[in-house]
């Protein structure tokens, strides 16, 4: 991996939903604030077929990276098996159409969600397995949604050795984390790590190999404590503060404190890990990318 040394002085937000409606009024200002904070690159995952064009447009407009995939929480919008097939065909076609686009770095966000009640788990598993197949066919790593579902995700990954990617917002056990690492995955840490009561997650962040850690915001979701509002505050009409990629360096400070690193080492290590997990990112990180129009 040959990149300019100054690349390792910047931060990479490996998971940011810049296409979310919360950012519609001021996406350019959000990116500008992130860049001013030292966040030199962001990965924008899609959540459904309607999100493919917006994430591509944002990535090209602002010099960012993107991934295309079908999020497990979006799958209940599909009415039947025919709709599942149509969505997968649309993803396959979109990945094929942008095969020469250097900003396409992964398939994602895909995975399993066993936390939200009432979701069709059989459909989730079918669609997850099928999307792993598409990622393999297109030679791309994956961005995984892991919510009380690590074992189910790992079962399918073991059938596709060499896949690689990032287990986003990981919050499982050390044994599960090590299983992802053994399969070539990095683990994403964000705002949840900053909460002092997140003892298991904080312990996990100290136990993993240096090479396994990447940073993310999941913006606008998973706000860190300084943006978080308790249930009684939300009931009184106070909304969470909006999470943005510019929060990443402050989130990273918690990881640095837990690992006994300084900020410069934390930026260098997590950037190196992000480029290893998503190899096509290296081509975008020789310097701060310059915006250019969507072709």
């Amino acid at each position: 991996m040959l990149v300019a040394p100054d690349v390792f002085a910047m931060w990479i937000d490996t998971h940011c939903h810049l296409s979310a409606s919360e950012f519609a009024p001021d996406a350019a200002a959000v990116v500008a604030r992130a860049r001013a904070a030292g966040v030199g690159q962001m990965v924008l995952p899609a959540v459904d077929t309607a999100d493919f064009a917006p994430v591509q447009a944002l990535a090209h407009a602002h010099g960012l990276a993107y991934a295309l995939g079908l999020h497990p929480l979006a799958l209940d919008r599909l009415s039947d098996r025919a709709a599942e097939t149509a969505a997968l065909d649309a993803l396959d076609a979109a990945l094929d159409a942008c095969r020469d686009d250097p900003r396409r770095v992964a398939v994602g966000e895909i995975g399993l969600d066993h936390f939200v009640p009432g979701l069709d788990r059989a459909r989730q598993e079918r669609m997850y397995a099928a999307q792993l197949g598409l990622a393999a066919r297109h030679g791309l790593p994956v961005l995984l949604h892991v919510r009380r579902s690590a074992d189910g995700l790992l079962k399918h990954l073991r059938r596709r050795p060499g896949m690689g990617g990032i287990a986003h917002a990981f919050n499982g056990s050390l044994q599960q984390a090590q299983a992802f690492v053994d399969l070539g995955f990095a683990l994403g840490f964000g705002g949840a790590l900053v909460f002092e009561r997140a003892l298991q997650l904080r312990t996990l962040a100290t136990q993993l190999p240096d090479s396994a850690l990447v940073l993310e915001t999941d913006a606008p979701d998973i706000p860190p404590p300084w943006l978080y509002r308790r249930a009684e505050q939300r009931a009184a009409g106070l909304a969470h503060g909006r999470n943005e990629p510019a929060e990443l360096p402050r989130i990273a400070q918690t990881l640095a404190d837990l690992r006994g690193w300084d900020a410069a080492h934390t930026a260098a290590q997590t950037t190196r890990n992000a480029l290893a997990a998503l190899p096509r990112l290296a081509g975008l990180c020789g310097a701060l990318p310059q915006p250019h129009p969507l072709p």
Side-chain angles (χ1 to χ4, degrees):
M1 179 171 58
L2 298 176
V3 292
D6 61 349
V7 166
F8 298 110
M10 75 177 184
W11 303 102
I12 295 180
D13 186 346
T14 61
H15 204 102
C16 167
H17 292 284
L18 192 62
S19 60
S21 59
E22 289 91 334
F23 294 127
D26 63 342
V30 169
V31 174
R33 282 191 289 273
R35 292 257 167 83
V39 182
Q41 190 52 264
M42 296 161 244
V43 181
L44 315 181
V47 297
D48 59 23
T49 55
D51 204 25
F52 293 172
V55 299
Q56 289 176 299
L58 285 162
H60 280 270
H62 302 292
L64 306 176
Y66 68 88
L68 302 181
L70 305 170
H71 192 292
L73 295 184
L75 299 180
D76 272 17
R77 303 172 195 168
L78 305 176
S79 57
D80 53 25
R81 291 289 187 97
E84 293 177 22
T85 299
L88 291 167
D89 288 346
L91 174 57
D92 190 22
L95 291 168
D96 191 56
C98 63
R99 63 186 178 277
D100 297 323
D101 186 352
R103 301 193 180 281
R104 183 201 68 166
V105 299
V107 170
E109 178 178 356
I110 69 173
L112 301 171
D113 193 302
H114 293 171
F115 174 76
V116 176
L119 299 179
D120 186 333
R121 291 196 179 187
R123 170 176 285 171
Q124 285 191 52
E125 190 158 357
R126 283 194 304 271
M127 297 295 282
Y128 168 58
Q131 289 183 92
L132 288 181
L134 290 178
R137 192 169 85 77
H138 290 276
L140 291 169
V142 291
L143 302 179
L144 294 179
H145 180 91
V146 191
R147 208 170 183 200
R148 296 189 184 174
S149 58
D151 291 339
L153 295 169
L154 288 163
K155 176 183 73 173
H156 288 278
L157 290 174
R158 291 187 180 103
R159 298 170 182 168
R160 294 191 176 275
M163 176 71 63
I166 296 173
H168 147 65
F170 187 81
N171 196 15
S173 68
L174 176 60
Q175 182 181 13
Q176 291 167 332
Q178 190 59 55
F180 278 106
V181 172
D182 291 345
L183 289 169
F185 279 75
L187 305 182
F189 290 87
L193 184 69
V194 186
F195 287 86
E196 292 183 0
R197 65 179 182 272
L199 298 179
Q200 178 179 325
L201 187 59
R202 285 174 164 235
T203 300
L204 181 64
T206 68
Q207 295 172 320
L208 292 169
D210 292 0
S211 59
L213 308 164
V214 296
L215 290 163
E216 60 176 56
T217 61
D218 199 27
D221 298 321
I222 314 185
W226 53 89
L227 299 174
Y228 184 80
R229 300 293 177 264
R230 299 186 304 275
E232 61 270 24
Q233 292 174 309
R234 296 195 300 274
L238 292 175
H240 290 315
R242 187 177 68 173
N243 194 16
E244 294 188 7
E247 305 293 345
L248 192 74
R250 193 172 172 188
I251 291 169
Q253 187 59 53
T254 295
L255 180 63
D257 293 343
L258 289 168
R259 302 285 298 200
W261 295 343
D262 61 22
H265 180 85
T266 306
Q269 183 68 59
T270 57
T271 291
R272 186 176 292 110
N273 297 347
L275 300 185
L278 305 175
R280 290 170 66 96
L281 265 182
L284 304 179
C285 292
L288 276 182
Q290 297 299 309
H292 62 81
L294 183 67

